[in-house]
Amino acid sequence: MKHSYLPKLWFLLFFLICCTLSAAAQTGAVSGRVLDEKQQPLPGVTVIIEGTQLGSSTNADGQYLIQNVPAGPRTVVASFVGFSTQRIPVTVTAGQTANVANVSLGENTTLLNEAVVVGYGTTRRQDLTGSVEQISEKQFVKGQVTNPEQLVQGKVAGVQITTTSGQPGAASQIRIRGGSSLSASNDPLIVIDGVPVDNGTLKGASNPLTLINPNDIESITVLKDASATAIYGSRASNGVLLVTTKRGVAGEKLRVNVTSQHAISTPVKYVDVLNGDEYRALVNARGSALSKSLLGTANTNWQKEIFRTAYTTDNTASVTGAVGKVPYRVSGGYLGQQGLLINNDLKRFTGSVGLTPLLLDGKLRVDMNVKGSWIDNNFSDQGAVGGAVFFDPTQPVRSSEAQFAPYGGYFQFLQPNGDLVALAPRNPVGLVNQRRDRSTVKRSIGNIQLDYQLPFLKGLSANVNAGYDIQRGRGTTFVPTNAAADFNRGGRNNNYGQDRDNLLLETFGKYNREFGATRLELLAGYSWQQFKNTEYNFPEYRADRTVFQRAVAAYNGDSTIRQQYNLISFYGRANLNFSGKYLFTATFRADGSSRFPTDNKFGYFPSAAFAWRLKDEGFLKDNATVSDLKLRVGVGQTGQQDIGGFYDYLPRYQLSTTTAQYQFGDQFIRTLRSSGYNGQLKWETTTTYNAGLDFGFFGGRFYGSVDVYQRDTKDLLSFTQVAALVNLTNELNLNVGKLQNRGLEIQANVDAVQGEQFNLSVNANAAFNRNEIKSLTNVANANTVGNLVGGISGGVGNTVQINSVGFPAQSFYVYQQVYDKQTGRPLQGVVVDRNGDGVINGSDRYQYKSPRPKASLGFGSNMSYGKASLAFTFRSQIGNYVYNNVRSGANFSSNSLNYLYNVTPEINKSGFTAGTDQVLLSDYFLENGSFLRLENVTLGYNFGSLAGENTNFGVSFAVQNAFLITKYSGLDPEAVRDGNLGIDNVVYPRARTFTLGLNLGF
């Protein structure tokens, strides 16, 4: 596909480089040294020439040198995280080096002057009016981190990041303040270097964010309340993550940094099931004659057969510096990660280039970024994970008996004639070894942003940002003809493919003006974004590449599905600062989406916030105890349009599936069928009310924030049932109902010890959220119980959760178990007749407990002694419940089957013999999932300059998922199934990982 805009971008790049190389001026240099309050050198301090991008970083001795500085009076600015910024005037003479007196930086842990990334710009932390938290590289979770979101896991109050699987590169579920939708997406908007990226799934990629190298990231900013997020309008109802990657600094000398991590991962524990001897005893005691005849003589631990000790290597090299007036950063990375499941691995190659020149005497700021990745996945067969739990432990992995030869020698349950038992599970080791499921995924994210200070009005600038996010996924699945999994269809030899294209064009103007003690900032802009999704349908092939089933094609014969939607937006923001004490922010955004009909195409999202810096008032200004105190209040609206279909509002026809055709003679014809549609579909809107208090005490040694909020979502986009004869389908995306989230967030940091050798800092956060569905229909109906969700294994179409008015979303919907008064054991199939009608049916189920935690806690610490350091991060959830679907499957039937399946020791407690609905959906299987997890602990040592003053070498040892304290009986209480929290159904287990890290800079 031709991209007409690419030649223009290359021409612009060529023009910029030519301008840079041709720019000539009389320049000099500036040198000096930066020390701390104890007159010890401070390495890594950023030193720049104010008003330019000329700068450098101090070496191990605190020294710096900035070259190519225009002659004349200048101001040197020295800044470092955790220290007060210093400004020193200096006069530069052409051809000479100006020596600056030693600069002493005092510690300032409140970081009031720190630049915080916000929507379409940056601001000082002390000027924030919304709920914003920025986590820098220094605060990131250490150790072997594959996905960017894991860097801030447990670091931010109100941000819940749940790893859904132990598979390499597996997606995480990210929820900010509980989520605001039922059927639409609850994922936050992610913006990488100014490009809002597409979070949609891509065939061949387990997680789109895996395609970003975490080592390239400088900071992640979380926007939580409407005052901070409303500037993004659409897709911002669930919060915003702003990812900023690392950049070069003008005038900086060439700097090379190499990091290398090597990790070993092991299973923490296995699902507790009966071993071979225990299972034989169970079958001999309770089984039928047929069941006993099927018993083997082996004692196989199937979980240990499919899992392994896995090795990971993660390496990144970066080069930072400047060519003339063009600062640059170039990096390349390689990640090779084995999964715990045999034959499962991920290989990722990444590269990034960043150019940030400042041209035309500092009036034109250019920010150009290109990031690319290439990932090769080998997924293995995930069904083997559950299969290993329940497969008969008395059978061997392989057998030399002739009857198993057609199936590769793997033991399988067979009929007397040698055919496979249709309903029997397949050998888990065979599932893994007899399947090759590989994919290659490519992604590139890039943009060029030009910010020009217009000459005709001081303080007025114009900004243009053109960006893209392109993804390509291709894969193959091969299963040989002798594999039991696909034996009856002659094996499998299939292809799959998908493309995603996201194009962005934004332009905005910004005006800054000071009127005495009053500062005004105005911003107004326009945004256009296009999303294309292309899915390629291929025929279903047998292993020998003969066609098993033709490709599903459209009515015109095209087997490629192409979908597209566009977003156009107009937005504005005004910031008003009176004397640094009274801060006002107002934003407005109008978003138009092609997913909605003409009358509802645009959504309008305003916000307003006010902050009062009490510390600067006369009654606190000279108070030595209080170093910072600011009150914040805000209200605003954000939108949601991320529903399943692109064209749900349009009347349209769709071709029937290949399993629903009409026969005419010897031909089968697919027909065009009317699809259901909602011509009144509109934006889901969330209104957020927020009040917060930022505080600092004892010279900034103790600082943090407290926020309370309420989020009211109306016109919920929900995939729900519709009345008969009203539409052309029985389920549809509708705007129905209201949802409310209320919560409290606390973030606290303490610098407990600050000494010459020993330093200790502690950080903690806590979030309390209450989620409640206020309504589910546009018309009140007392007979409506709710919408069933949360599918489970066992039975046919069973669900264990429900969305009901007056309860949290995804509440458990179960029968109330009756217990034997003498033994305390549950009585099989005996549940409470809650409605008292004398009949036990679905009407006797009730809403009981929630998978959502009542409190989410994070706790961490960083300490150092000399050149040694220690850091750790704890995470905890309290009050969340989990449905243990593994336990609920522990029933043993004496009925004669042609195969056997293992059970957990639960069989000895409950004694259940049948998996009826009353058994499977009993509250007996709900467990308290509260836990405390040591997410990461890292011990490091910095050897400093070993081979020269500009070199630096460090080594670290980290343990991830070090331990877990919980009463939950399953593998892991952080369970997610198909996006539903709180359902544990044998997911790929998380590993315990031991990582050796090396870091070399020169």
Side-chain angles (χ1 to χ4, degrees):
M1 182 177 70
K2 294 184 178 180
H3 297 282
S4 59
Y5 57 88
L6 288 179
K8 298 176 182 178
L9 290 178
W10 284 116
F11 173 76
L12 180 59
L13 175 61
F14 177 76
F15 172 75
L16 293 173
I17 294 176
C18 289
C19 289
T20 301
L21 296 178
S22 63
Q26 294 296 314
T27 62
V30 175
S31 68
R33 194 174 187 219
V34 181
L35 310 173
D36 63 16
E37 292 176 310
K38 302 178 181 64
Q39 299 305 298
Q40 297 297 312
L42 269 179
V45 176
T46 298
V47 184
I48 65 172
I49 304 300
E50 191 170 47
T52 75
Q53 283 196 330
L54 298 172
S56 179
S57 297
T58 58
N59 60 19
D61 294 323
Q63 297 175 338
Y64 64 90
L65 174 65
I66 305 174
Q67 299 176 327
N68 300 317
V69 181
R74 302 291 171 185
T75 300
V76 176
V77 181
S79 62
F80 192 52
V81 174
F83 291 79
S84 298
T85 299
Q86 292 288 346
R87 288 175 167 80
I88 307 96
V90 62
T91 299
V92 179
T93 303
Q96 299 182 17
T97 298
N99 295 312
V100 179
N102 288 347
V103 179
S104 180
L105 297 187
E107 293 196 12
N108 174 21
T109 54
T110 58
L111 305 179
L112 296 182
N113 292 313
E114 178 189 2
V116 177
V117 178
V118 294
Y120 304 104
T122 60
T123 188
R124 295 185 305 172
R125 182 175 294 276
Q126 68 180 21
D127 293 337
L128 290 172
T129 58
S131 182
V132 178
E133 189 67 33
Q134 180 167 288
I135 305 299
S136 64
E137 183 182 18
K138 184 179 179 181
Q139 302 164 290
F140 285 162
V141 171
K142 309 301 180 185
Q144 204 289 305
V145 174
T146 303
N147 302 335
E149 69 271 16
Q150 296 171 348
L151 295 170
V152 295
Q153 199 168 22
K155 295 291 186 179
V156 182
V159 179
Q160 184 179 350
I161 300 175
T162 304
T163 303
T164 58
S165 168
Q167 179 183 357
S172 298
Q173 187 184 79
I174 307 173
R175 296 292 179 264
I176 298 177
R177 292 185 167 182
S180 62
S181 191
L182 293 180
S183 296
S185 172
N186 276 305
D187 296 329
L189 172 64
I190 299 176
V191 182
I192 300 178
D193 288 333
V195 180
V197 299
D198 187 353
N199 290 339
T201 58
L202 179 73
K203 290 182 179 179
S206 56
N207 176 13
L209 284 178
T210 307
L211 302 164
I212 307 299
N213 188 345
N215 294 304
D216 287 331
I217 296 176
E218 182 177 82
S219 68
I220 296 178
T221 303
V222 183
L223 311 183
K224 295 189 285 187
D225 73 338
S227 171
T229 63
I231 191 67
Y232 286 106
S234 65
R235 298 180 295 159
S237 286
N238 299 298
V240 181
L241 297 181
L242 303 179
V243 179
T244 303
T245 57
K246 298 173 182 177
R247 290 168 167 77
V249 179
E252 186 175 14
K253 289 184 177 180
L254 176 68
R255 180 78 179 170
V256 179
N257 192 77
V258 179
T259 62
S260 183
Q261 294 183 334
H262 304 269
I264 296 295
S265 300
T266 61
V268 177
K269 67 175 184 177
Y270 301 97
V271 176
D272 188 13
V273 294
L274 301 185
N275 61 32
D277 293 335
E278 292 169 337
Y279 188 67
R280 270 186 289 266
L282 174 68
V283 174
N284 286 324
R286 303 187 192 181
S288 64
L290 176 59
S291 298
K292 295 175 184 178
S293 69
L294 294 173
L295 284 170
T297 59
N299 201 339
T300 304
N301 187 323
W302 291 99
Q303 295 177 81
K304 289 187 177 180
E305 291 291 337
I306 67 166
F307 291 127
R308 63 181 173 182
T309 297
Y311 170 71
T312 298
T313 179
D314 191 0
N315 307 277
T316 302
S318 65
V319 179
T320 307
V323 177
K325 292 185 177 181
V326 181
Y328 65 86
R329 182 181 185 272
V330 180
S331 74
Y334 169 73
L335 169 70
Q337 184 176 15
Q338 291 181 336
L340 294 179
L341 185 62
I342 56 177
N343 296 334
N344 179 209
D345 58 67
L346 177 151
K347 296 177 181 178
R348 180 179 68 196
F349 304 85
T350 61
S352 70
V353 178
L355 303 175
T356 54
L358 194 64
L359 308 175
L360 305 180
D361 295 329
K363 289 184 171 59
L364 177 63
R365 186 183 303 272
V366 182
D367 193 350
M368 188 180 306
N369 300 280
V370 176
K371 287 169 280 291
S373 60
W374 180 307
I375 291 185
D376 291 324
N377 291 293
N378 188 350
F379 291 111
S380 197
D381 191 327
Q382 306 296 304
V385 177
V389 172
F390 295 110
F391 206 80
D392 180 2
T394 70
Q395 307 299 341
V397 175
R398 301 181 69 96
S399 175
S400 59
E401 295 183 31
Q403 60 182 332
F404 300 114
Y407 310 105
Y410 291 98
F411 170 85
Q412 306 289 350
F413 286 106
L414 304 178
Q415 300 179 38
N417 64 0
D419 291 342
L420 292 163
V421 176
L423 299 178
R426 305 305 181 215
N427 187 310
V429 179
L431 288 175
V432 173
N433 288 335
Q434 293 181 298
R435 181 185 180 94
R436 187 183 69 222
D437 188 352
R438 297 178 177 174
S439 75
T440 296
V441 179
K442 306 170 188 176
R443 186 175 195 176
S444 179
I445 300 175
N447 71 315
I448 179 170
Q449 190 165 5
L450 308 176
D451 191 278
Y452 181 64
Q453 297 178 15
L454 299 174
F456 53 82
L457 181 60
K458 183 178 180 181
L460 181 63
S461 62
N463 187 290
V464 177
N465 182 21
Y468 69 90
D469 176 11
I470 296 176
Q471 303 178 67
R472 298 289 182 265
R474 300 291 185 272
T476 60
T477 302
F478 177 79
V479 179
T481 55
N482 65 348
D486 288 308
F487 187 82
N488 292 331
R489 59 165 282 170
R492 186 184 300 265
N493 193 353
N494 290 338
N495 305 83
Y496 55 86
Q498 184 181 7
D499 297 339
R500 283 188 174 273
D501 298 304
N502 168 12
L503 299 179
L504 170 74
L505 177 62
E506 286 191 315
T507 178
F508 63 84
K510 183 184 292 187
Y511 178 65
N512 290 282
R513 183 70 184 273
E514 292 191 12
F515 305 91
T518 301
R519 291 205 306 271
L520 173 67
E521 180 192 278
L522 299 176
L523 180 147
Y526 165 81
S527 173
W528 171 87
Q529 198 162 10
Q530 180 186 85
F531 299 86
K532 288 184 178 180
N533 177 39
T534 305
E535 296 187 36
Y536 302 95
N537 289 328
F538 297 92
E540 286 277 329
Y541 292 104
R542 300 181 182 90
D544 61 4
R545 204 60 177 173
T546 58
V547 176
F548 177 73
Q549 181 176 306
R550 292 179 303 165
V552 177
Y555 67 92
N556 61 356
D558 189 355
S559 60
T560 301
I561 300 174
R562 298 177 177 85
Q563 296 177 311
Q564 175 182 322
Y565 75 92
N566 292 357
L567 284 171
I568 59 172
S569 307
F570 304 89
Y571 54 88
R573 179 175 61 207
N575 289 320
L576 194 58
N577 183 326
F578 291 104
S579 305
K581 295 187 292 185
Y582 312 110
L583 312 170
F584 297 88
T585 299
T587 67
F588 181 81
R589 182 165 181 133
D591 279 317
S593 172
S594 62
R595 287 186 169 188
F596 300 116
T598 302
D599 292 342
N600 296 328
K601 191 172 297 293
F602 273 88
Y604 304 96
F605 309 107
S607 78
F610 167 72
W612 179 19
R613 284 188 47 79
L614 291 94
K615 170 59 182 174
D616 289 342
E617 296 290 354
F619 55 86
L620 282 179
K621 193 169 187 178
D622 298 325
N623 189 299
T625 302
V626 179
S627 53
D628 182 34
L629 195 63
K630 180 172 67 176
L631 177 67
R632 296 178 280 105
V633 293
V635 61
Q637 290 184 328
T638 48
Q640 168 71 280
Q641 54 94 49
D642 198 0
I643 52 179
F646 286 9
Y647 315 112
D648 285 349
Y649 73 94
L650 284 174
R652 63 200 186 281
Y653 288 92
Q654 288 185 316
L655 203 61
S656 67
T657 64
T658 55
T659 58
Q661 304 183 69
Y662 280 97
Q663 184 175 2
F664 293 92
D666 59 352
Q667 288 189 330
F668 291 87
I669 307 298
R670 297 169 65 194
T671 61
L672 287 173
R673 299 182 173 188
S674 299
S675 297
Y677 70 96
N678 179 5
Q680 303 300 317
L681 202 63
K682 60 182 178 181
W683 291 85
E684 179 179 285
T685 304
T686 298
T687 302
T688 301
Y689 308 88
N690 195 94
L693 183 69
D694 299 331
F695 60 85
F697 299 98
F698 313 116
R701 297 283 290 272
F702 174 42
Y703 63 100
S705 62
V706 178
D707 280 86
V708 293
Y709 63 86
Q710 178 173 309
R711 306 172 68 205
D712 295 321
T713 303
K714 66 177 183 178
D715 297 325
L716 282 169
L717 289 168
S718 179
F719 189 74
T720 187
Q721 293 182 348
V722 295
L725 304 179
V726 172
N727 210 295
L728 298 170
T729 182
N730 60 346
E731 288 185 308
L732 195 65
N733 278 313
L734 300 174
N735 292 100
V736 292
K738 299 177 181 179
L739 178 70
Q740 183 180 88
N741 281 277
R742 294 177 294 118
L744 167 68
E745 297 169 350
I746 303 172
Q747 192 99 19
N749 305 273
V750 180
D751 283 330
V753 180
Q754 294 178 339
E756 294 185 5
Q757 288 291 317
F758 181 64
N759 293 274
L760 171 64
S761 63
V762 177
N763 59 83
N765 64 79
F768 307 88
N769 178 271
R770 296 295 180 268
N771 174 282
E772 182 182 346
I773 298 174
K774 291 298 185 179
S775 68
L776 278 175
T777 59
N778 293 325
V779 179
N781 185 352
N783 296 321
T784 300
V785 179
N787 299 323
L788 296 174
V789 294
I792 61 171
S793 296
V796 179
N798 278 325
T799 57
V800 76
Q801 293 176 332
I802 194 170
N803 290 328
S804 295
V805 175
F807 295 90
Q810 300 174 328
S811 292
F812 292 106
Y813 192 51
V814 291
Y815 290 102
Q816 184 178 353
Q817 182 66 50
V818 175
Y819 298 85
D820 188 300
K821 294 182 179 180
Q822 301 298 322
T823 64
R825 296 180 68 180
L827 299 173
Q828 178 171 308
V830 182
V831 296
V832 175
D833 181 10
R834 292 183 62 90
N835 65 2
D837 63 358
V839 178
I840 299 298
N841 54 30
S843 298
D844 294 303
R845 294 168 68 178
Y846 73 116
Q847 295 89 346
Y848 180 65
K849 303 298 184 182
S850 170
R852 299 171 181 270
K854 294 181 179 178
S856 298
L857 311 174
F859 177 78
S861 179
N862 289 273
M863 60 187 76
S864 63
Y865 184 81
K867 295 182 178 181
S869 62
L870 177 67
F872 61 81
T873 301
F874 280 97
R875 290 194 302 113
S876 176
Q877 291 183 6
I878 299 174
N880 56 300
Y881 275 73
V882 180
Y883 173 77
N884 193 328
N885 206 177
V886 180
R887 276 183 59 217
S888 67
N891 58 80
F892 181 83
S893 174
S894 60
N895 294 333
S896 296
L897 297 172
N898 289 326
Y899 63 91
L900 297 174
Y901 58 91
N902 201 2
V903 293
T904 71
E906 173 62 37
I907 192 67
N908 299 318
K909 298 178 182 178
S910 67
F912 290 162
T913 60
T916 64
D917 287 356
Q918 285 77 23
V919 170
L920 286 172
L921 302 177
S922 168
D923 60 9
Y924 173 66
F925 298 111
L926 287 183
E927 300 184 40
N928 191 325
S930 301
F931 69 88
L932 173 66
R933 188 192 301 273
L934 179 54
E935 187 70 39
N936 174 276
V937 57
T938 303
L939 177 66
Y941 191 84
N942 188 349
F943 291 91
S945 301
L946 294 181
E949 63 174 308
N950 291 320
T951 64
N952 186 65
F953 177 70
V955 63
S956 64
F957 178 73
V959 181
Q960 288 173 283
N961 195 20
F963 66 75
L964 175 70
I965 299 174
T966 181
K967 292 183 178 180
Y968 180 63
S969 65
L971 276 185
D972 198 318
E974 288 192 281
V976 180
R977 176 185 169 91
D978 298 329
N980 294 303
L981 283 172
I983 300 178
D984 183 3
N985 185 29
V986 194
V987 296
Y988 198 131
R990 293 184 60 187
R992 178 166 294 144
T993 303
F994 304 88
T995 304
L996 174 66
L998 305 174
N999 185 286
L1000 175 65
F1002 56 90

